[in-house]
Amino acid sequence: MFAAFADTVRAGSGTAVAELGCGPGRLTAHLRDLGLEPFGVDLSPVMIDIARQAYPGLRFEVGSMHALDLPDASLDGVVSWYSLIHALPADVPGYVAEFARILAPGGHLLLGFFESEGGPVTPFDHRVTTAYRWPVDELARIAAVHGFAETGRMLREPREGERFRRGHLLLRKEGRRD
Ligand SMILES: C[S@@+](CC[C@H](N)C(=O)[O-])C[C@H]1O[C@@H](n2cnc3c(N)ncnc32)[C@H](O)[C@@H]1O
């Protein structure tokens, strides 16, 4: 899905990408290796310190995905890879609205999350704190409300030692650049 995201972004008009909830930055670095110009944002200053030390050539900032210090329509791509999993379900539409605000028309969004395998949005006892499993269709619906069209999805069955199916959604913000 990262390769598909990178190909899709590179086929457009720019390569500026944010990884929101980047943690230690390993996927921000992967996005760079895929030919994009990424930076990472995380709520945790500890994670941002780790990321800066691990990848000194990349930019990492402390910030929250629900209110980013970024101009409207300033990015070609946004990745939220397992960073919405702890958000209260009622707050998720607000996060998606923020992703839509910072993406340029025609920009791309990649979401990774735990999938609910036919059930509704379901909390579970993640080792950090409560997390939520989402129906892939429900996240696609919320994204559609905020102006995203689905480009592709992947459901990955749990590997050995994993409990849940994974959901991955690739979405395009509607509209064209001037
Ligand atoms: C499961 S980790 C994923 C890290 C990274 N995306 C990866 O896959 O390696 C989730 C990260 O999201 C961050 N996060 C959670 N809520 C956030 C928010 N509102 N704004 C920014 N980061 C947030 C956490 O601090 C944590 O580092």
Side-chain angles (χ1 to χ4, degrees), residues 5 75-78 92-111 139-151 169-175:
F5 171 77
L75 294 175
D76 305 299
V78 164
V92 166
Y95 286 105
V96 175
E98 183 67 348
F99 302 163
R101 182 188 71 77
I102 61 177
L103 271 171
H108 303 280
L109 173 63
L110 177 61
L111 299 177
L139 277 181
R141 188 195 64 76
I142 290 170
V145 167
H146 292 90
F148 288 98
E150 184 173 333
T151 309
L169 266 179
L170 183 57
L171 304 139
R172 179 182 181 277
K173 184 177 162 183
E174 286 163 358

Side-chain angles (χ1 to χ4, degrees), residues 19-27 41-44 47 63-66 80-86 95 126:
E19 193 204 353
L20 303 179
C22 62
R26 70 189 170 104
L27 294 175
V41 176
D42 203 281
L43 200 52
S44 160
M47 284 296 172
S64 177
M65 298 185 295
H66 81 277
S80 166
W81 198 250
Y82 294 88
S83 57
L84 284 174
I85 60 173
H86 300 295
Y95 286 105
H126 187 276

Side-chain angles (χ1 to χ4, degrees), residues 3 10 12 15 32 42 56 59-60 84 88 131 144 150 162 173:
R10 282 192 278 104
T15 52
R32 175 200 55 198
D42 203 281
R59 191 178 123 215
F60 294 98
L84 284 174
L88 291 173
E150 184 173 333
E162 293 180 345
K173 184 177 162 183

Side-chain angles (χ1 to χ4, degrees), residues 152-165:
R153 63 173 66 185
M154 184 177 83
L155 298 177
R156 180 176 70 68
E157 296 306 319
R159 297 185 184 126
E160 199 176 328
E162 293 180 345
R163 284 190 287 173
F164 306 125
R165 183 194 278 168

